[in-house]
Amino acid sequence: MVTNQTRRTLLKAALFGSATPFLPFGCASTTDQASEALIGCAIRGRDAFSVVVADQYGKPIRQLPLPDRGHGIATSTKHRHAVAFARRPGEFFMVFDYHTGEIVSLHKAQDKRHYYGHGVYSLDQSLLFATEGERGTSRGIIGVYDVQKGYKKIAEFTGFGLGPHEVIIMPDSTLAIGVGGVHTNGREPLNLSEMKPSLSYVNHNGELVDQVSLPDHHLSIRHLAHDGSKTVLCGQQYRGEPDEYPALLAMHTAGGEMQSLEAEPEQWARFNHYIASIAATSDWILATSPRGSCYGIWSKQTRRLVELAPLPDASGVVVQDQAFRISSGAGNVVTQPKPQFKTEIKSGIQWDNHWSSIG
């Protein structure tokens, strides 16, 4: 019998050995009755982690074990690939075929480097961009990987700050990077009095083309989304005084200033100083907080909070068919097209961190 611990040990052996393709250990279902629509990381038990491919309602289709806890997912419909990134300071990313469950490769972080948990494909899906850091300095790096060459690293972009977390790609191919500005030893922050977070924009040549920040330097910019056009939404982790509750969400359009989204201080307090996942439709913006076990919906037009809803360990959110799909560490999956209108099911999965949409 192959136990979870055995799977984890075997995966780690592969991770620290080569990055050659191999098949998962009996963990992938070949069920084709449901269509793959969502991918997210999950917790399976004590020291047991997986990445889960689910249908549009969050019902699992197949699961693949991970060597350690996962965080964000990048997807490529052209190659039918998904990439699960280790939670920071991560040692690996794993590439797999989300339709068959075949693991394509496992990549180990280079010496004195680690992954921050997020990445994104280029618009033509020929390259993968990953947020990385230098151990000892937290110097921010975007690693550039060639898909056709087996995800071989071919370049690095740097010079935009410390501690990049999430990277997304804009419709014009510019990379938007949530730069936390925090120098860490493992997960311990070392420079809170001097941190310099930013929303940084880097072109396809790795050149810094714009960089904006918030007035309060204790707002560490971490998670990002865009509205399908030119506006970037950024979610923050507040690293200041514990009894202060500043705005944790902001919007930015190229050439403009950062605009904070609005809510009352007691409403921001519900988010417990942390925004996890963000998504937007043409009218609404939704952000989750696992630490606050809640999510909020804002009007994109007024920037005002219009709904604050409880959800245990609220985690990932994506938009499909102009409706939000929201995951939870308690297994709940919420579908909500607009404020006050939602349905909820139990998925049987302990969702962890983020979701990505296929297509």
Side-chain angles (χ1 to χ4, degrees):
M1 178 180 179
V2 179
T3 66
N4 285 338
Q5 186 60 43
T6 302
R7 289 191 181 97
R8 190 166 181 241
T9 301
L10 290 169
L11 279 169
K12 279 196 169 183
L15 169 62
F16 291 104
S18 65
T20 54
F22 64 99
L23 290 174
F25 308 100
C27 59
S29 164
T30 57
T31 301
D32 291 320
Q33 296 176 348
S35 177
E36 301 95 346
L38 302 163
I39 305 178
C41 293
I43 297 174
R44 301 179 66 187
R46 184 178 178 85
D47 294 328
F49 308 96
S50 65
V51 59
V52 181
V53 181
D55 67 15
Q56 62 178 323
Y57 304 107
K59 290 289 189 179
I61 297 173
R62 58 184 59 88
Q63 298 188 50
L64 290 81
L66 291 174
D68 218 321
R69 189 174 177 184
H71 193 70
I73 306 289
T75 60
S76 165
T77 54
K78 179 178 179 180
H79 303 287
R80 294 197 317 192
H81 286 180
V83 183
F85 293 90
R87 182 174 181 254
R88 72 173 181 93
E91 297 182 350
F92 72 92
F93 68 77
M94 186 177 86
V95 186
F96 61 97
D97 184 316
Y98 59 74
H99 185 65
T100 66
E102 178 182 356
I103 298 178
V104 177
S105 58
L106 271 166
H107 290 258
K108 176 188 174 184
Q110 295 173 289
D111 289 343
K112 297 183 179 180
R113 298 287 175 81
H114 62 84
Y115 297 110
Y116 277 106
H118 288 276
V120 69
Y121 282 91
S122 59
L123 294 182
D124 66 2
Q125 301 176 36
S126 65
L127 301 173
L128 175 72
F129 302 100
T131 52
E132 305 178 16
E134 182 177 70
R135 294 186 186 274
T137 70
S138 299
R139 177 173 65 96
I141 298 161
I142 298 295
V144 185
Y145 298 82
D146 190 314
V147 175
Q148 294 297 332
K149 294 181 179 179
Y151 291 84
K152 177 183 178 182
K153 181 180 273 191
I154 59 171
E156 291 185 341
F157 302 158
T158 190
F160 47 78
L162 304 183
H165 192 68
E166 186 159 20
V167 58
I168 62 173
I169 193 159
M170 302 300 290
D172 65 354
S173 293
T174 300
L175 295 175
I177 309 166
V179 180
V182 182
H183 173 33
T184 57
N185 178 20
R187 294 181 64 85
E188 178 188 1
L190 302 176
N191 69 330
L192 295 185
S193 63
E194 302 172 344
M195 54 187 284
K196 295 180 180 179
S198 69
L199 176 60
S200 298
Y201 296 87
V202 171
N203 66 18
H204 64 276
N205 293 319
E207 300 164 332
L208 184 66
V209 295
D210 196 10
Q211 192 170 54
V212 294
S213 59
L214 292 161
D216 188 341
H217 80 279
H218 284 118
L219 285 166
S220 179
I221 299 174
R222 298 176 60 77
H223 292 117
L224 306 179
H226 69 72
D227 65 350
S229 183
K230 298 180 180 180
T231 298
V232 175
L233 311 165
C234 54
Q236 283 64 259
Q237 178 179 11
Y238 182 57
R239 297 282 199 164
E241 296 297 325
D243 57 351
E244 295 289 331
Y245 299 102
L248 297 174
L249 281 168
M251 300 170 56
H252 180 258
T253 303
E257 299 293 326
M258 286 278 234
Q259 295 181 304
S260 293
L261 273 62
E262 300 176 14
E264 298 300 324
E266 59 269 24
Q267 293 173 319
W268 285 121
R270 285 283 305 279
F271 290 85
N272 199 12
H273 295 148
Y274 183 75
I275 294 295
S277 298
I278 314 167
T281 65
S282 56
D283 297 315
W284 311 106
I285 299 163
L286 192 149
T288 70
S289 175
R291 296 184 182 182
S293 285
C294 67
Y295 65 89
I297 302 177
W298 282 258
S299 164
K300 190 177 174 186
Q301 182 178 6
T302 68
R303 307 202 315 273
R304 291 288 305 173
L305 180 70
V306 295
E307 182 178 348
L308 181 56
L311 182 65
D313 195 21
S315 299
V317 61
V318 297
V319 173
Q320 288 190 330
D321 301 322
Q322 286 298 299
F324 295 109
R325 314 280 188 187
I326 312 154
S327 70
S328 160
N332 309 55
V333 174
V334 176
T335 297
Q336 185 157 0
K338 58 183 179 179
Q340 312 304 327
F341 291 86
K342 62 183 174 183
T343 58
E344 190 168 339
I345 66 164
K346 287 284 189 180
S347 67
I349 298 295
Q350 187 179 348
W351 297 104
D352 191 26
N353 294 305
H354 302 281
W355 258 359
S356 284
S357 178
I358 299 173

